[in-house]
């Protein structure tokens, strides 16, 4: 198995068992940077040993077509920018700035700290391995890539399903998006540059909205207050209200 | 060169131009007027595009490399969502005229809503699965801030949950697309028209996984069980105009995405589609029926009824033959019903200052227009004749019997009866119940009722006499949805 993919699986797993938000964000940053490294190997014609991916084959074909090859090169750089800068640096930094500004207590359980969820997390890794075996028959790098992507996806869902705080949910969601990005690396050729740009814009807009929501949690009229109201009144039934559009 | 071929691009670009105009302080001061102008121009353009002469792939002239496609599905839904947006814009304009304090923050709302309309139109016209996905993402990202109401913390929580579920749903869809690409023989493509020709008719593991993920993801966007919990909260907490946009515009964009997938991939995967859509549909109907019985919140009740309708739609789509025409009638009727009911709920709440159904009564006397709209909308909601929803439901039921899905048919009838009783028990006392207090509200203007009146006429037309142009469009879309 590729050391990079193993390292990626490691940074997907370890932060789940270390209950601080800084570790979670560091884990996200590491995921982004490792993904970028993987992408670099794939996109810049240095495939990992035995890693046969569509993208590589397609890019190799495109070498004979200068215009397309240039466009593809730009797409490759955009992918690297997305993974390394946006997902690896901007996303964790944007959330970090908000949490630091409001002096968030360092403890933050990404998973509930009990044996059941830890067993579930490890069980998910085994399930991911079985799934990858059934999806990719031949053992090899492609199977490993699918295994790590499925594990990342399922772990992201585990985080989402066991947590109700917006921060943990954001981390869960970003984990899922990273897993999909990994899956994309081993898949079909890149889409057109415009579509790729739009995809990056969507990621940036999502992060900006995350930041906005996270800020409002700390404000007096934030989600915590809303939860208190809803818990008291039942199912969001604050029925008497002022005018709205 | 036929200038009509530029219309789709103009339709998509127009709301963006309008939102850019908001940078001008003079325009910002008349943001409500601008929203109405956006709505009316988009409606005219949409109707123009829907005229058969403007059909065909039109991206070439704009360097869009075949990314745009005006087929029957796009045309049919363009003439649904744009008029609904126009109706909502008139509602907003009227609300601002009668309640001037709502003027604050209006430019932001108008800007986001205009961009939302662009994204919705792009979703309908896209000839590329990734563009379609991006447009759906954009509608979600633009709608999320619209759900938040200043000074109402619970709306922020609802907005967050909406964004979270949307992001998860669309991540599943994206993953599904990539799985589909792996399951394609030769070089994968995301162009819908090419897919229709290339998609192999045999089952493949990657394709099955991809389709299952897409159905789950789009099902979540449609508010289908199991991942539905965002819907009642978002529909309840959002301002009524935004709820109408979510329920009648965004819902149909997600549905069109599902239609695209069904149109291309149903052959060879009938069992998967039937199994997933029928089970999600029945489960959604069960959950929504129980919730309708339990709730005392007017907007939540309509939201659960929307879930119920989504369940019916999923059941109709799960049937590979015989249900498609009825399904489409039901879908279009459903869009107008939801727009009428949510806008009426907004009007009622604006007067009574409550959503509690126990504290609202004698609507027919206090607010005659709203009382009538709530009554007629509820009858249409429950599938009464002469509305399109009645015909649609009847055709779906008939297709259930003819396809041998008797268990689903039984569950459908039972749940729809329970929904009917529970909804009537809650809504009818609001309309005809004895007055709880003496209200002296100013008489509602015709303008405030005009959008809902128009939607009502559309509902009646769908139930009594469908114009040949519309009928032809529905037929074309219906035949594309059925198994060969």
């Amino acid at each position: 198995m590729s050391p990079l993919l193993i390292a990626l699986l490691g940074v997907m797993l370890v932060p789940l068992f270390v209950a601080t938000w800084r570790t979670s964000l560091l884990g996200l940053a590491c995921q982004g940077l490792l993904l970028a490294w993987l992408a670099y190997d794939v996109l810049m014609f240095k495939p990992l040993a035995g890693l046969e991916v569509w993208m590589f084959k397609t890019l190799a074909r495109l070498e004979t077509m200068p215009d397309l090859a240039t466009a593809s090169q730009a797409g490759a750089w955009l992918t690297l920018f997305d993974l390394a800068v946006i997902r690896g640096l901007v996303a964790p930094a944007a959330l970090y700035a908000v949490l630091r500004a409001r002096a968030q207590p360092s403890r933050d359980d990404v998973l509930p700290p009990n044996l059941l969820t830890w067993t579930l997390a490890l069980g998910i890794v085994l399930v991911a391995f079985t799934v990858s075996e059934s999806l990719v028959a031949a053992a090899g790098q492609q199977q490993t890539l699918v295994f790590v992507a499925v594990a990342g996806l399922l772990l992201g869902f585990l985080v989402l399903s066991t947590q109700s705080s917006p921060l943990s949910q954001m981390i869960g969601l970003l984990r899922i998006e990273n897993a999909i990005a990994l899956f994309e690396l081993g898949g079909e050729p890149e889409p057109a540059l415009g579509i790729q740009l739009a995809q990056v814009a969507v990621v940036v807009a999502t992060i900006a909205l995350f930041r906005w929501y996270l800020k409002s949690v700390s404000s007096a009229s934030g989600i915590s207050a809303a939860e208190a109201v809803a818990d008291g009144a039942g199912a969001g039934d604050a029925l008497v209200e002022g005018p709205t559009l | 060169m036929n200038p009509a071929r530029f219309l789709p691009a103009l339709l998509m670009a127009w709301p963006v131009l309008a939102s850019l105009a908001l940078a001008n302080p003079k325009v910002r001061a008349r943001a409500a007027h601008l929203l109405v102008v956006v709505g009316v121009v988009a409606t005219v353009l949409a109707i123009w595009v829907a005229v058969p002469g403007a059909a065909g792939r039109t991206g070439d002239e704009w360097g869009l490399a075949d990314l745009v496609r005006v087929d029957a599905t796009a045309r049919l839904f363009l003439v649904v969502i744009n008029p609904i947006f126009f109706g909502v814009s008139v509602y907003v304009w009227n609300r601002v005229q009668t309640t001037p304090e709502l003027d604050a923050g209006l430019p932001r709302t108008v800007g986001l809503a205009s961009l939302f309309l662009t994204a919705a139109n792009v979703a309908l016209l896209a000839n590329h699965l990734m563009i379609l996905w991006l447009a759906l993402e954009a509608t979600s990202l633009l709608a999320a801030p619209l759900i938040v109401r200043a000074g109402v913390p619970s709306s922020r929580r609802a907005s967050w949950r909406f964004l979270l579920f949307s992001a998860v749903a669309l991540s599943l869809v994206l993953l599904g697309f990539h799985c589909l690409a792996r399951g394609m023989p030769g070089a994968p493509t995301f162009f819908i028209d090419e897919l229709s020709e290339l998609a192999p008719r045999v089952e493949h593991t990657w394709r099955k996984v991809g389709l299952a993920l897409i159905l789950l993801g789009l099902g979540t966007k449609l508010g289908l069980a199991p991942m539905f919990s965002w819907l009642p909260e978002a529909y309840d907490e959002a301002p009524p105009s935004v709820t109408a946009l979510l329920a009648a515009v965004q819902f149909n964009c997600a549905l069109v995405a599902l239609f695209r997938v069904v149109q291309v991939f149903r052959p060879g995967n009938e069992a998967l589609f039937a199994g997933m859509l029928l089970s999600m549909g029945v489960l959604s109907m069960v959950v929504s029926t129980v919730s309708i019985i339990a709730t005392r919140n007017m907007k939540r009740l309509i939201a659960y009824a929307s879930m119920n309708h989504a369940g019916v739609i999923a059941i109709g789509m799960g049937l590979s033959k015989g249900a498609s025409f009825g399904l489409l009638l039901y879908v279009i009727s459903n869009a107008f019903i939801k727009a009428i009911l949510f806008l009426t709920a907004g009007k009622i709440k604006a007067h009574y200052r409550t959503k509690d159904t126990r504290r609202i009564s004698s609507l027919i006397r206090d607010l005659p227009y709203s009382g009538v709209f709530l009554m007629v909308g509820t009858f249409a909601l429950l599938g009464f004749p002469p509305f399109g929803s009645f015909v649609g439901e009847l055709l779906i039921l008939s297709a259930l019997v003819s396809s041998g899905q008797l268990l689903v048919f039984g569950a459908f009838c039972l749940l729809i009866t329970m929904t009917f009783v529970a909804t009537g028990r809650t809504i009818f006392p609001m309309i005809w119940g004895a007055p709880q207090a003496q209200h002296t509200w100013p008489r509602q203007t015709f303008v405030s009722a005009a959008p809902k009146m128009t939607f009502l006429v559309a509902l009646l037309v769908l139930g009594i006499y469908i114009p040949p142009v519309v009928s032809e469009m529905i037929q074309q879309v219906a035949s594309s949805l059925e198994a060969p």
Side-chain angles (χ1 to χ4, degrees):
Chain A
M1 291 211 286
S2 153
L4 271 180
L5 287 169
I6 297 297
L8 189 57
L9 183 64
V11 295
M12 282 172 175
L13 262 179
V14 173
L16 295 177
F17 304 102
V18 185
T20 75
W21 58 264
R22 284 186 176 83
T23 315
S24 298
L25 295 181
L26 183 65
L28 281 179
C30 291
Q31 283 181 34
L33 295 173
L34 281 171
L35 279 169
W37 192 349
L38 264 168
Y40 180 80
D41 274 353
V42 174
L43 300 171
M44 299 301 170
F45 305 96
K46 292 182 202 165
L48 299 166
L51 183 61
E52 291 181 1
V53 292
W54 263 109
M55 191 176 292
F56 174 71
K57 286 193 281 184
T58 309
L59 284 172
R61 275 205 307 274
L62 292 178
E63 266 188 317
T64 55
M65 295 178 266
D67 288 348
L68 285 176
T70 310
S72 218
Q73 198 74 0
W77 281 111
L78 188 60
T79 303
L80 285 177
F81 174 77
D82 175 25
L83 295 173
V85 180
I86 306 289
R87 293 169 199 252
L89 299 174
V90 173
L95 301 184
Y96 179 84
V98 178
L99 296 169
R100 190 156 178 257
R102 72 177 201 208
Q104 172 95 350
S106 62
R107 169 112 195 195
D108 184 84
D109 293 306
V110 185
L111 280 184
N114 59 57
L115 267 177
L116 178 67
T117 46
W118 291 338
T119 311
L120 270 175
L122 295 173
I124 274 174
V125 176
L126 294 177
V127 168
F129 191 72
T130 313
V131 170
S132 69
E133 274 187 328
S134 61
L135 287 174
V136 183
Q141 296 288 350
Q142 186 65 253
Q143 195 185 67
T144 311
L145 187 140
V146 172
F147 158 54
V148 177
V150 173
L153 186 79
L154 295 178
L155 288 172
F157 274 110
L158 181 67
V159 173
L160 282 182
S161 60
T162 55
Q163 292 295 340
S164 58
S165 83
L167 174 63
S168 300
Q169 290 175 333
M170 283 171 197
I171 289 168
L173 198 52
L174 290 170
R175 282 169 159 271
I176 288 174
E177 296 203 346
N178 284 346
I180 294 174
L182 173 64
F183 191 77
E184 280 180 60
L185 280 180
E188 71 287 353
E190 290 172 60
L193 191 62
I195 293 177
Q196 262 190 293
L197 270 170
Q199 277 184 289
V200 174
V202 163
V203 175
V204 171
T206 306
I207 293 165
L209 274 175
F210 280 8
R211 205 176 133 81
W212 181 61
Y213 284 112
L214 207 52
K215 270 185 175 173
S216 60
V217 176
S218 63
S219 71
S221 60
I223 294 170
S224 304
E227 281 169 348
V229 170
D231 289 346
D237 281 349
L239 296 176
V240 180
E241 293 171 4
T244 60
L245 280 175
Chain B
M1 185 181 291
N2 180 6
R5 292 178 68 81
F6 295 99
L7 287 173
L10 188 59
L11 176 63
M12 290 185 283
W14 157 245
V16 179
L17 298 175
S19 63
L20 289 176
L22 284 166
N24 184 329
K26 284 181 183 169
V27 179
R28 286 175 72 85
R30 291 177 175 77
H33 295 78
L34 179 69
L35 191 64
V36 176
V37 175
V38 169
V40 73
V41 173
T43 301
V44 170
L45 286 172
I47 291 169
W48 204 348
V49 168
V51 172
R57 285 168 67 153
T58 57
D60 299 348
E61 297 86 340
W62 291 81
L64 295 175
D66 291 342
L67 297 174
V68 172
R69 184 188 188 207
V70 189
D71 63 348
T73 310
R75 282 164 35 214
L76 180 64
F77 282 91
L78 281 176
V79 292
V80 173
I81 70 159
N82 286 286
I84 287 177
F85 184 92
F86 175 41
V88 170
S89 71
V90 173
Y91 171 88
V92 169
W93 175 82
N94 186 254
R95 286 285 296 139
V96 173
Q97 301 306 308
T98 52
T99 319
E101 61 259 40
L102 291 173
D103 214 14
L106 191 64
R108 174 182 160 277
T109 303
V110 171
L112 288 171
S114 302
L115 294 174
F116 174 89
L117 181 63
T118 287
N121 282 326
V122 171
L124 300 189
L125 290 164
N127 183 33
H128 193 283
L129 288 180
M130 289 302 294
I131 304 272
L132 177 54
W133 179 85
L134 283 164
L136 284 179
E137 269 279 7
T139 57
S140 302
L141 293 172
L142 292 161
L146 286 173
I147 294 171
V148 178
R149 287 178 290 151
V152 185
S154 54
S155 71
R156 190 169 292 128
R157 186 180 65 154
S159 167
W160 165 244
R161 281 173 68 85
F162 167 79
L163 183 71
L164 177 71
F165 275 81
S166 291
V168 170
L170 292 172
S171 295
L172 289 175
V173 175
L174 180 64
L175 189 60
F177 287 162
H178 289 300
C179 289
L180 283 182
R182 280 174 180 245
M184 281 176 206
T189 178
F190 283 130
F191 284 99
I192 294 166
D193 53 355
E194 288 175 10
L195 275 172
S196 309
E197 292 155 18
L198 292 178
R201 305 301 192 236
V202 288
E203 291 194 1
H204 184 283
T205 310
W206 275 116
R207 206 173 313 126
K208 275 164 72 178
V209 172
L211 289 173
L213 289 169
I214 291 168
L215 290 181
L216 190 61
L218 289 176
T220 303
K221 275 305 289 172
L222 295 172
L224 290 171
M227 294 205 283
F228 63 89
S229 67
W230 66 270
L231 185 141
E233 197 173 352
Y235 281 17
D236 179 25
E237 291 293 341
S241 53
V242 176
T243 310
L245 289 182
L246 291 177
V249 177
Q250 199 194 35
F251 179 90
N252 282 313
C253 293
L255 198 61
V256 165
L258 190 53
F259 280 0
R260 299 294 189 199
V261 174
V262 170
Q263 283 163 347
V264 174
F265 291 101
R266 169 131 43 201
N269 299 289
E270 282 95 346
L272 177 79
F273 278 102
M276 278 195 76
L277 288 169
L278 288 177
S279 51
M280 283 162 82
V282 172
L283 193 58
S284 303
M285 286 185 77
V286 171
V287 171
S288 60
T289 304
V290 173
S291 306
I292 286 171
I293 293 169
T295 191
R296 291 290 174 270
N297 177 329
M298 173 177 55
K299 276 187 82 185
R300 277 195 185 240
L301 188 140
I302 305 169
Y304 290 127
S306 303
M307 253 183 79
N308 200 289
H309 279 201
V312 174
I313 290 166
I315 290 172
M317 287 191 76
L319 300 170
S320 55
K321 276 199 185 296
S324 297
F325 191 86
L327 167 74
L328 287 163
L329 267 183
Y330 192 83
V331 166
I332 301 165
S333 304
N334 188 246
F336 291 116
I337 292 168
K338 285 192 283 192
I340 291 173
L341 286 176
F342 280 118
L343 294 183
T344 304
K347 197 80 186 167
I348 294 168
K349 205 207 83 182
H351 284 79
Y352 286 87
R353 297 290 170 104
T354 181
K355 292 180 282 190
D356 190 337
T357 54
R358 292 162 298 191
R359 294 175 56 191
I360 302 167
S361 62
S362 190
L363 265 174
I364 206 80
R365 234 184 51 182
D366 291 347
L367 294 168
Y369 277 137
S370 297
V372 168
F373 285 126
L374 188 65
M375 178 181 71
V376 178
T378 305
F379 282 132
L381 180 83
L382 296 172
F384 272 64
F387 302 104
S389 50
F390 166 73
V391 184
E393 216 164 75
L394 213 61
L395 289 172
I396 293 172
L397 279 170
S398 145
L400 273 174
V401 174
S402 60
S403 59
Q405 298 282 359
L406 296 180
L407 204 62
V408 180
F409 173 80
F412 190 116
C413 291
L414 178 70
L415 291 166
I416 218 80
T417 309
M418 288 169 73
T419 306
F420 168 72
V421 174
T423 310
R425 186 196 61 169
T426 309
I427 296 278
F428 294 146
M430 287 169 63
I431 301 169
W432 293 295
Q436 293 179 11
Q438 199 64 41
H439 299 292
T440 49
W441 288 313
R443 192 178 164 78
Q444 288 174 276
T445 60
F446 176 75
V447 176
S448 73
K452 287 168 269 182
M453 199 86 83
T454 316
F455 298 154
L456 194 58
V457 170
L459 269 179
L460 284 168
V461 165
L462 285 169
I464 297 168
Y465 169 75
I466 308 172
V469 183
V470 180
S471 177
E472 191 191 331
M473 271 195 275
I474 296 178
Q475 282 287 7
Q476 282 177 19
V477 183
S479 60
S480 71
L481 288 173
E482 303 231 326

